[in-house]
Amino acid sequence: MTDSVNKSLPTRQRSALRSWLSAPIPASPFQAHMQQIWLQWLRFCANHSALFGLLVLLVVLAAALFAPWLSTHDIFNQDLTNRLQPPTAQHWLGTDELGRDIYSRLLHGARITLYIAALTAVIITPLGLIIGTTAGYLGGWVDTVLMRLVDIFLAFPSLILALAFVAALGPGIDNAIIAISLSSWPPIARLARAETLSIRKMDYIAAVRLQGASSWHIILRHIMPMCLPSVVVRVTLNMAAIILTAAGLGFLGLGAQAPSPEWGAMLASGREFMLNNGWIAAIPGLAILFTSLAFNLLGDGLRDVMDLRHE
């Protein structure tokens, strides 16, 4: 009797939680916020492609976090007697031209790729948001100067611009991150400015202004939070371009340096053996492809959830 009661408790708790989340009239601001999050999650789950993208990214993230425990070989250990080996039970994805285990290097390469993408996103999000909202709200000569600066950056393809910056700064992961960030923030700023131009005409902004709030207070406390969802979606969609740019720099020898297991560098070293040992270049290439695709699918799902205009 006691066991049956204990088993029914989780079911009752789940039923109570669902009732609390689906209540027609929330009893508190916290409940209203949790109901909004729950509805957004249900809307996100209805997008199967976005769920697939999230699953792929979780797998890549898990591989990056647990790479030291999941890898089967030392990523720097060279064994020329086993070079260019196809996938076997000992080397799950084969070996490269120096006899290094591709599977282990692929796992550790995920760390570098996600590190570059995440740090770039951390840099370009506040930078583009601040510049775009400031230009959109203040207008006048400030808007003209900032938008002409954005136009100059947008006049060049992002990869070409990143190549120019990294050539000036020098090769390396940190310099590659700086170069990619300098070439990736203008679209974020333009989006934030477009959002600000519509938000600044709203009644609550006029009410805050009449209360004596400064322009910077309005921008930081009222306009930027309203622009943030659209900016987050745009940054997520741009992550694929960031990964491809980072891989391109690594492929050209301007990003991560040997013997670092960066995917672009692995692809560059394997291109010489594509005809006879195609897996050496195909494996890091597929990793770049699926990770970029996953970010695009996730960005589409977040756009449907966070942008009310797509409901």
Side-chain angles (χ1 to χ4, degrees), residues 265-310:
M266 292 175 63
L267 184 61
S269 63
R271 74 183 186 276
E272 300 177 6
F273 310 94
M274 289 183 61
L275 295 180
N276 298 322
N277 309 97
W279 67 87
I280 299 178
I283 291 172
L286 289 175
I288 296 171
L289 170 64
F290 280 106
T291 305
S292 302
L293 177 62
F295 272 113
N296 276 332
L297 296 177
L298 179 63
D300 287 337
L302 290 179
R303 180 187 59 192
D304 295 339
V305 169
M306 303 181 70
D307 195 342
L308 298 177
R309 290 172 296 184
H310 287 82

Side-chain angles (χ1 to χ4, degrees), residues 111-127:
R111 286 188 159 192
I112 300 176
T113 298
L114 293 183
Y115 170 75
I116 294 174
L119 194 55
T120 302
V122 169
I123 294 174
I124 67 174
T125 300
L127 179 62

Side-chain angles (χ1 to χ4, degrees), residues 10 24 95:
T95 59

Side-chain angles (χ1 to χ4, degrees), residues 215-264:
S215 298
W216 286 113
H217 176 85
I218 295 174
I219 292 173
L220 295 175
R221 298 294 300 274
H222 299 281
I223 294 181
M224 288 180 61
M226 293 292 291
C227 297
L228 189 59
S230 298
V231 169
V232 169
V233 172
R234 182 58 186 265
V235 171
T236 305
L237 291 171
N238 283 2
M239 293 294 270
I242 292 172
I243 291 175
L244 292 175
T245 303
L249 294 177
F251 184 86
L252 297 174
L254 297 175
Q257 299 297 297
S260 177
E262 196 269 331
W263 290 347

Side-chain angles (χ1 to χ4, degrees), residues 21 33-48 50-52 54-55 58 298 301-302 304-306 311:
L21 290 173
H33 182 64
M34 294 306 296
Q35 285 182 342
Q36 182 181 11
I37 294 176
W38 174 247
L39 292 175
Q40 289 177 338
W41 172 248
L42 292 178
R43 194 180 303 121
F44 181 83
C45 291
N47 190 332
H48 299 296
L51 281 178
F52 174 75
L54 178 61
L55 178 61
L58 290 177
L298 179 63
L302 290 179
D304 295 339
V305 169
M306 303 181 70
E311 292 185 355

